[in-house]
Short mmCIF file of all heavy atoms in Angstrom, two decimals:
data_model
loop_
_atom_site.label_atom_id
_atom_site.label_comp_id
_atom_site.label_asym_id
_atom_site.label_seq_id
_atom_site.Cartn_x
_atom_site.Cartn_y
_atom_site.Cartn_z
N HIS C 12 -13.86 4.75 -4.30
CA HIS C 12 -13.09 3.58 -3.68
C HIS C 12 -12.18 2.89 -4.69
O HIS C 12 -11.14 2.52 -4.30
CB HIS C 12 -14.10 2.72 -3.10
CG HIS C 12 -14.81 3.25 -1.93
ND1 HIS C 12 -15.37 4.51 -1.82
CD2 HIS C 12 -15.11 2.75 -0.66
CE1 HIS C 12 -15.96 4.79 -0.76
NE2 HIS C 12 -15.88 3.74 0.00
N THR C 13 -12.71 2.52 -5.80
CA THR C 13 -11.94 1.71 -6.76
C THR C 13 -12.14 2.27 -8.17
O THR C 13 -13.08 2.99 -8.52
CB THR C 13 -12.51 0.28 -6.87
OG1 THR C 13 -13.85 0.31 -7.22
CG2 THR C 13 -12.26 -0.50 -5.58
N LEU C 14 -11.02 2.04 -9.00
CA LEU C 14 -10.99 2.57 -10.36
C LEU C 14 -10.91 1.30 -11.27
O LEU C 14 -10.01 0.47 -11.01
CB LEU C 14 -9.80 3.46 -10.61
CG LEU C 14 -9.45 4.09 -11.91
CD1 LEU C 14 -10.64 4.93 -12.36
CD2 LEU C 14 -8.17 4.66 -12.03
N HIS C 15 -11.83 1.24 -12.12
CA HIS C 15 -11.87 0.24 -13.00
C HIS C 15 -11.33 0.57 -14.41
O HIS C 15 -11.80 1.45 -15.03
CB HIS C 15 -13.28 -0.40 -13.22
CG HIS C 15 -13.93 -0.83 -11.93
ND1 HIS C 15 -13.64 -2.03 -11.36
CD2 HIS C 15 -14.76 -0.24 -11.11
CE1 HIS C 15 -14.29 -2.08 -10.16
NE2 HIS C 15 -15.02 -1.13 -9.98
N VAL C 16 -10.36 -0.15 -14.85
CA VAL C 16 -9.72 0.16 -16.14
C VAL C 16 -10.01 -0.96 -16.98
O VAL C 16 -9.72 -2.17 -16.83
CB VAL C 16 -8.17 0.48 -16.09
CG1 VAL C 16 -7.49 0.73 -17.36
CG2 VAL C 16 -7.95 1.43 -14.99
N ALA C 17 -10.69 -0.71 -18.19
CA ALA C 17 -10.91 -1.82 -19.16
C ALA C 17 -10.59 -1.44 -20.54
O ALA C 17 -10.39 -0.27 -20.87
CB ALA C 17 -12.46 -2.16 -19.12
N GLY C 18 -10.50 -2.43 -21.43
CA GLY C 18 -10.27 -2.31 -22.84
C GLY C 18 -8.82 -2.10 -23.26
O GLY C 18 -8.49 -1.59 -24.24
N MET C 19 -7.90 -2.60 -22.27
CA MET C 19 -6.52 -2.51 -22.58
C MET C 19 -6.14 -3.48 -23.63
O MET C 19 -6.47 -4.71 -23.49
CB MET C 19 -5.70 -2.67 -21.30
CG MET C 19 -5.99 -1.64 -20.20
SD MET C 19 -5.09 -1.78 -18.71
CE MET C 19 -5.98 -3.29 -18.09
N VAL C 20 -5.22 -3.07 -24.60
CA VAL C 20 -4.82 -3.93 -25.61
C VAL C 20 -3.31 -3.74 -25.79
O VAL C 20 -2.75 -2.76 -25.25
CB VAL C 20 -5.56 -3.76 -26.95
CG1 VAL C 20 -7.02 -4.06 -26.87
CG2 VAL C 20 -5.33 -2.26 -27.44
N GLY C 21 -2.72 -4.58 -26.56
CA GLY C 21 -1.28 -4.30 -26.97
C GLY C 21 -0.34 -4.75 -25.81
O GLY C 21 0.72 -4.15 -25.76
N GLY C 22 -0.62 -5.64 -24.84
CA GLY C 22 0.42 -5.98 -23.92
C GLY C 22 0.56 -5.09 -22.82
O GLY C 22 1.67 -4.90 -22.35
N VAL C 23 -0.46 -4.29 -22.30
CA VAL C 23 -0.17 -3.51 -21.19
C VAL C 23 0.15 -4.34 -19.91
O VAL C 23 -0.49 -5.32 -19.73
CB VAL C 23 -1.57 -2.72 -20.91
CG1 VAL C 23 -1.42 -1.96 -19.57
CG2 VAL C 23 -1.89 -1.78 -21.99
N THR C 24 1.29 -3.98 -19.36
CA THR C 24 1.69 -4.72 -18.22
C THR C 24 1.64 -4.09 -16.86
O THR C 24 1.67 -4.80 -15.80
CB THR C 24 3.17 -5.19 -18.45
OG1 THR C 24 3.96 -3.96 -18.57
CG2 THR C 24 3.22 -6.02 -19.72
N HIS C 25 1.64 -2.70 -16.79
CA HIS C 25 1.65 -2.08 -15.46
C HIS C 25 0.63 -0.77 -15.70
O HIS C 25 0.65 -0.13 -16.75
CB HIS C 25 2.98 -1.57 -15.15
CG HIS C 25 3.89 -2.66 -14.84
ND1 HIS C 25 4.72 -3.26 -15.79
CD2 HIS C 25 3.97 -3.19 -13.71
CE1 HIS C 25 5.29 -4.23 -15.09
NE2 HIS C 25 5.04 -4.15 -13.84
N ILE C 26 -0.04 -0.43 -14.59
CA ILE C 26 -0.77 0.79 -14.52
C ILE C 26 -0.23 1.54 -13.31
O ILE C 26 -0.19 1.05 -12.20
CB ILE C 26 -2.31 0.46 -14.39
CG1 ILE C 26 -2.85 -0.12 -15.54
CG2 ILE C 26 -3.01 1.74 -14.12
CD1 ILE C 26 -4.24 -0.59 -15.54
N THR C 27 0.01 2.88 -13.50
CA THR C 27 0.41 3.72 -12.38
C THR C 27 -0.54 4.94 -12.26
O THR C 27 -0.92 5.49 -13.34
CB THR C 27 1.87 4.23 -12.65
OG1 THR C 27 2.66 3.09 -12.92
CG2 THR C 27 2.34 4.91 -11.54
N VAL C 28 -0.85 5.42 -11.13
CA VAL C 28 -1.61 6.48 -10.87
C VAL C 28 -0.66 7.76 -10.51
O VAL C 28 0.19 7.54 -9.71
CB VAL C 28 -2.65 6.29 -9.87
CG1 VAL C 28 -3.43 7.65 -9.49
CG2 VAL C 28 -3.65 5.22 -10.23
N TYR C 29 -0.83 8.84 -11.17
CA TYR C 29 -0.05 10.08 -11.00
C TYR C 29 -0.92 11.29 -10.54
O TYR C 29 -2.02 11.36 -10.94
CB TYR C 29 0.65 10.47 -12.23
CG TYR C 29 1.64 9.43 -12.79
CD1 TYR C 29 1.30 8.47 -13.62
CD2 TYR C 29 3.01 9.40 -12.30
CE1 TYR C 29 2.14 7.49 -14.19
CE2 TYR C 29 3.93 8.41 -12.67
CZ TYR C 29 3.48 7.56 -13.64
OH TYR C 29 4.40 6.59 -14.24
N ASN C 30 -0.42 12.10 -9.68
CA ASN C 30 -1.01 13.26 -9.29
C ASN C 30 -0.73 14.38 -10.47
O ASN C 30 -0.06 14.15 -11.45
CB ASN C 30 -0.63 13.93 -8.02
CG ASN C 30 0.78 14.28 -7.76
OD1 ASN C 30 1.43 14.43 -8.88
ND2 ASN C 30 1.25 14.34 -6.62
N VAL C 31 -1.37 15.50 -10.42
CA VAL C 31 -1.20 16.54 -11.37
C VAL C 31 0.23 17.04 -11.52
O VAL C 31 0.60 17.77 -12.58
CB VAL C 31 -2.30 17.77 -11.29
CG1 VAL C 31 -3.70 17.18 -11.37
CG2 VAL C 31 -2.09 18.35 -9.84
N LEU C 32 1.02 16.79 -10.54
CA LEU C 32 2.44 17.19 -10.52
C LEU C 32 3.33 16.26 -11.20
O LEU C 32 4.50 16.37 -11.35
CB LEU C 32 3.04 17.48 -9.17
CG LEU C 32 2.25 18.66 -8.45
CD1 LEU C 32 2.74 18.79 -6.90
CD2 LEU C 32 2.45 19.92 -9.10
N GLY C 33 2.71 14.96 -11.66
CA GLY C 33 3.42 14.00 -12.18
C GLY C 33 4.05 13.02 -11.23
O GLY C 33 4.87 12.09 -11.69
N GLN C 34 3.73 13.06 -9.94
CA GLN C 34 4.28 12.14 -9.02
C GLN C 34 3.52 10.88 -8.89
O GLN C 34 2.25 10.94 -8.81
CB GLN C 34 4.28 12.83 -7.61
CG GLN C 34 5.14 14.06 -7.61
CD GLN C 34 4.85 14.88 -6.43
OE1 GLN C 34 3.76 15.14 -5.98
NE2 GLN C 34 5.97 15.55 -5.91
N ALA C 35 4.22 9.68 -8.96
CA ALA C 35 3.47 8.49 -8.79
C ALA C 35 2.80 8.39 -7.43
O ALA C 35 3.38 8.68 -6.34
CB ALA C 35 4.43 7.32 -8.95
#
């Protein structure tokens, strides 16, 4: 249902999910 992303450093501003073909 949900994906938790943690430990980001260095000014991460956006997260995008892509399929295996590289499509957002």
Side-chain angles (χ1 to χ4, degrees):
H12 293 42
T13 56
L14 178 65
H15 301 282
V16 181
M19 296 179 290
V20 295
V23 172
T24 58
H25 292 91
I26 294 178
T27 306
V28 175
Y29 296 94
N30 64 17
V31 294
L32 299 175
Q34 300 165 319

